[in-house]
Amino acid sequence: MPSRSRGYLSNLRGLAEGLEDRVGTVVQEATEVIHGTLVLGTPVLTGLARSNWRVGTSTPQGAVPIRSEVETIDAGQTVIRGSRKADYFEIVNNFFYIGLLNAGSSRKAPAGFVQKAITLGLNIVKQRRILRGGTRY
């Protein structure tokens, strides 16, 4: 009996480790989609609002200088891909008028572009199979 229990525990540990890795991968994929969509969907006049979309495993602070959309997305992907087992990320934009832009103050982007980006990321999570055999998380 004891050897059967050890085998069972070993299988459970393997399943738990695989699940942790898979969840981390799905969180990364969803975060990349949300961040990229936010960067590309932010209306641009000076580029400051678009440049200030930042990602971290804790709340990123301060503002950043104007960067291109590619540089902004690359900076986010570096953080996301460098945090292998993170179970969450924070995406922030501390620029003072980002809320006004999301409310529709610019004709260059529709109101609610932030919520639309989050919905795209949530759809990634819903579509991914976490466990082998098709079980969804």
Side-chain angles (χ1 to χ4, degrees), residues 51-89:
S51 296
N52 273 277
W53 285 113
R54 288 165 303 132
V55 181
T57 54
S58 61
T59 306
Q61 300 294 319
V64 296
I66 295 176
R67 301 183 290 193
S68 72
E69 61 193 31
V70 171
E71 291 171 317
T72 304
I73 291 171
D74 285 348
Q77 287 180 341
T78 298
V79 171
I80 294 164
R81 293 176 184 170
S83 303
R84 190 65 196 129
K85 298 233 178 179
D87 55 357
Y88 80 96
F89 289 94

Side-chain angles (χ1 to χ4, degrees), residues 5-21 85:
S5 296
R6 277 185 235 150
Y8 181 70
L9 287 174
S10 176
N11 287 342
L12 281 177
R13 278 191 208 104
L15 178 64
E17 289 171 7
L19 182 61
E20 183 178 8
D21 287 342
K85 298 233 178 179

Side-chain angles (χ1 to χ4, degrees), residues 25-67:
T25 299
V26 172
V27 167
Q28 285 179 317
E29 290 174 16
T31 305
E32 283 186 10
V33 166
I34 294 168
H35 181 254
T37 302
L38 288 169
V39 171
L40 296 175
T42 302
V44 176
L45 180 60
T46 65
L48 282 171
R50 178 176 276 181
S51 296
N52 273 277
W53 285 113
R54 288 165 303 132
V55 181
T57 54
S58 61
T59 306
Q61 300 294 319
V64 296
I66 295 176
R67 301 183 290 193

